[in-house]
Amino acid sequence: MGKRYFCDYCDRSFQDNLHNRKKHLNGVQHLRAKRVWYDLFRDAAAILQEEQTKKPCRKFLQTGQCDFGSNCRFSHMTEQDLEKLSAQVQGEQRSKELRQEGADVPPGTIEDWLEKRAKRLSAAQSNSALPEKPAPFQFPPGWPPVQDLPPSLQAPPPGGWPVPPNLQWG
């Protein structure tokens, strides 16, 4: 059977020889799949700049669909999409400037959380005349109910797992 070459971009495999590999790597489908893959990692500023230079796609604006899809040379972004993208780019630029200036980290970061936690712990230790009852655990929002979790993720019963009699570990 011989060696086979698997292309991660195209999710295809074929017999590995110089002719087949060269033909595949220069093929239109491979080049498109490769471009789509790398487009996933472009920053918002590059996408905004490219989309602003394109004219809007009439077919997409009228029907919501375009026969060319991602290969269309016209823009499929609405004005609202461009405004959101522009706001995202401005936010990224502001945070980048703050980091370069060495300004304080904006609220909502891990440093902010750690600082609040340290204050809370120090206040709890200074007022610890009575042992404080720990806060009950709550699952994060969006998690399924405990009953729907698989047995490996469910909490053990209050008394621990029952140990069957005559159990020997091997």
Side-chain angles (χ1 to χ4, degrees), residues 15-163:
Q15 187 177 6
D16 189 17
N17 59 43
L18 181 63
H19 174 74
N20 287 349
R21 190 183 289 205
K22 193 181 247 186
K23 186 176 177 184
H24 174 76
L25 294 177
N26 292 325
V28 175
Q29 286 181 330
H30 174 77
L31 294 175
R32 283 183 185 162
K34 185 177 170 184
R35 190 181 84 221
V36 166
W37 172 256
Y38 281 105
D39 283 351
L40 292 173
F41 304 104
R42 288 191 316 166
D43 62 332
I47 295 171
L48 179 65
Q49 183 179 10
E50 182 181 322
E51 291 295 326
Q52 285 178 334
T53 59
K54 293 180 180 180
K55 294 181 180 178
C57 179
R58 280 192 238 148
K59 177 95 172 174
F60 186 78
L61 291 177
Q62 290 172 351
T63 63
Q65 293 181 344
C66 177
D67 297 334
F68 296 101
S70 62
N71 298 319
C72 185
R73 65 182 182 152
F74 298 105
S75 176
H76 289 176
M77 286 193 154
T78 63
E79 289 295 323
Q80 293 172 343
D81 293 338
L82 287 173
E83 288 173 8
K84 287 180 186 175
L85 194 58
S86 178
Q88 181 182 349
V89 168
Q90 289 173 355
E92 289 174 0
Q93 288 174 344
R94 268 188 253 117
S95 64
K96 192 178 195 181
E97 290 169 359
L98 285 174
R99 274 187 264 127
Q100 287 176 350
E101 293 172 2
D104 290 337
V105 182
T109 61
I110 188 71
E111 286 83 6
D112 187 35
W113 181 84
L114 286 170
E115 186 178 312
K116 287 180 182 177
R117 181 176 178 262
K119 287 179 183 176
R120 198 170 52 240
L121 287 175
S122 65
Q125 287 176 352
S126 63
N127 298 334
S128 64
L130 296 172
E132 191 174 313
K133 184 179 176 184
F137 176 76
Q138 293 182 349
F139 286 102
W143 275 32
V146 177
Q147 304 86 346
D148 295 345
L149 290 174
S152 62
L153 295 179
Q154 291 180 1
W161 298 107
V163 179

